[in-house]
Amino acid sequence: MTTASSADDPGRPTVAVLGTGIMGSGMARNLLRAGLPVRAWNRTRARAEPLAADGATVTDTAEEAVRAADVIITMLNDGPAVTETLTAAAGGVRPGQIWMQSSTVGIEATTDLAHRAAGLGLVYLDAPVSGTREPAEQGTLTVFVAGPSSARATTRPVLEAIGQRTVWAGEDPGAASRLKLVANTWLINLVNSVAESLNLAEGLGLDPRLFLDAVKGGPLDTPYLQEKSDALLGGNLDPSFALSMALKDARLILKAAEESGVALDLVAASAERFARAEADGHGGEDMIATYYAGRGAASDGR
């Protein structure tokens, strides 16, 4: 596969995708479908290898992946993982490359990563995404971006390939990550509301589907309620967004809230539910598995 340079073809920047889990692999495939050259790396190479069949160049090291790239995307678990990967890739970066940091890492880590990027001469875009497995695979993510407007032309084809909407939060790195924490506050409380409604229906001896039918099509209904409930009740807990990752994000939100003097009682309760479900072995399942944290809670004294 040939690699392109944005200097030669600004409409086809070469993109290095570092981290090819649920989200990163979906994003990489949509970049390839859009005709953009992709260089893919994952700490466990076997997770990146399937992308070769789609046309990606799979590399053994992060350094090798970024060396020929115009845009670098990191989609990893947390701040320490991003820092470790950037350190490993540092020998291959060059001044002026654009780094789209799309992992949800929180405010403190975002600030630290922006400083590290500046030290390497990288153009840093704080660019977390909103969406789970299906939007990542379909290219319908919402991308929150904060960073210099000078990077917009080069990243436009990248953003159009991975998302259906880009929300520019400003030029200050960190603004997009703050917006992502707000969006995830809504998501985290929503999924636990779904779980608790199903818990109570079950506890009262009702078929949970009776509740779903009662609200269907009305002002209290949402596609999310129906989809997550159907998945849970059908026994499909394949992760769109793993519960352990939701717990990580809840803790980032609570830390940000504490530092800003805001009390988030619902997120605190959601984090406790996630932690109970994770302790019971549901961390790798979809976050609707928070449902299991509510089963038998009264008899357990919770």
Side-chain angles (χ1 to χ4, degrees):
M1 174 175 164
T2 60
T3 53
S5 167
S6 61
D8 300 324
D9 187 349
R12 296 183 70 246
T14 297
V15 185
V17 179
L18 307 183
T20 59
I22 290 174
M23 301 295 290
S25 60
M27 293 163 70
R29 286 191 173 95
N30 281 298
L31 291 165
L32 290 163
R33 290 187 192 109
L36 304 184
V38 172
R39 302 175 65 78
W41 171 86
N42 197 74
R43 183 172 56 183
T44 303
R45 182 181 170 118
R47 298 196 69 180
E49 201 62 57
L51 291 169
D54 297 297
T57 298
V58 178
T59 67
D60 289 320
T61 67
E63 180 178 337
E64 183 184 356
V66 304
R67 183 169 286 116
D70 302 302
V71 177
I72 302 164
I73 296 177
T74 44
M75 179 52 77
L76 299 155
N77 285 347
D78 52 29
V82 176
T83 299
E84 179 183 343
T85 298
L86 179 62
T87 300
V93 304
R94 64 182 185 276
Q97 280 178 302
I98 297 171
W99 177 21
M100 285 178 51
Q101 204 307 98
S102 295
S103 318
T104 302
V105 299
I107 296 171
E108 183 178 340
T110 296
T111 300
D112 176 67
L113 292 170
H115 289 314
R116 291 175 184 271
L120 292 170
L122 297 171
V123 178
Y124 184 75
L125 292 185
D126 172 26
V129 301
S130 179
T132 53
R133 178 197 293 268
E134 187 172 293
E137 292 175 346
Q138 296 177 351
T140 57
L141 295 166
T142 296
V143 190
F144 305 138
V145 189
S149 58
S150 59
R152 293 192 183 194
T154 300
T155 56
R156 183 175 292 113
V158 177
L159 293 166
E160 290 176 349
I162 65 174
Q164 65 178 354
R165 186 175 180 219
T166 300
V167 178
W168 287 90
E171 297 212 359
D172 171 37
S177 282
R178 294 194 294 272
L179 181 58
K180 175 63 185 296
L181 293 182
V182 174
N184 273 16
T185 296
W186 170 249
L187 174 64
I188 284 167
N189 288 336
L190 183 60
V191 74
N192 279 291
S193 292
V194 173
E196 289 197 347
S197 297
L198 299 179
N199 285 147
L200 185 59
E202 180 185 55
L204 295 176
L206 296 170
D207 181 347
R209 294 193 182 277
L210 183 62
F211 155 65
L212 298 174
D213 185 60
V215 300
K216 191 170 185 177
L220 300 181
D221 193 17
T222 68
Y224 191 84
L225 167 64
Q226 299 292 340
E227 290 168 9
K228 285 299 180 186
S229 297
D230 284 346
L232 176 73
L233 297 174
N236 178 14
L237 291 174
D238 292 342
S240 274
F241 186 41
L243 185 143
S244 60
M245 297 300 291
L247 174 58
K248 180 264 294 184
D249 286 1
R251 287 169 173 163
L252 290 174
I253 291 166
L254 290 172
K255 182 178 180 181
E258 180 181 5
E259 292 173 351
S260 60
V262 176
L264 298 180
D265 300 325
L266 295 181
V267 177
S270 291
E272 290 180 6
R273 282 184 65 98
F274 286 146
R276 291 203 305 271
E278 183 181 59
D280 287 340
H282 299 286
E285 297 171 346
D286 190 82
M287 62 178 174
I288 190 57
T290 184
Y291 163 85
Y292 293 104
R295 299 186 71 177
S299 62
D300 289 345
R302 294 196 284 262

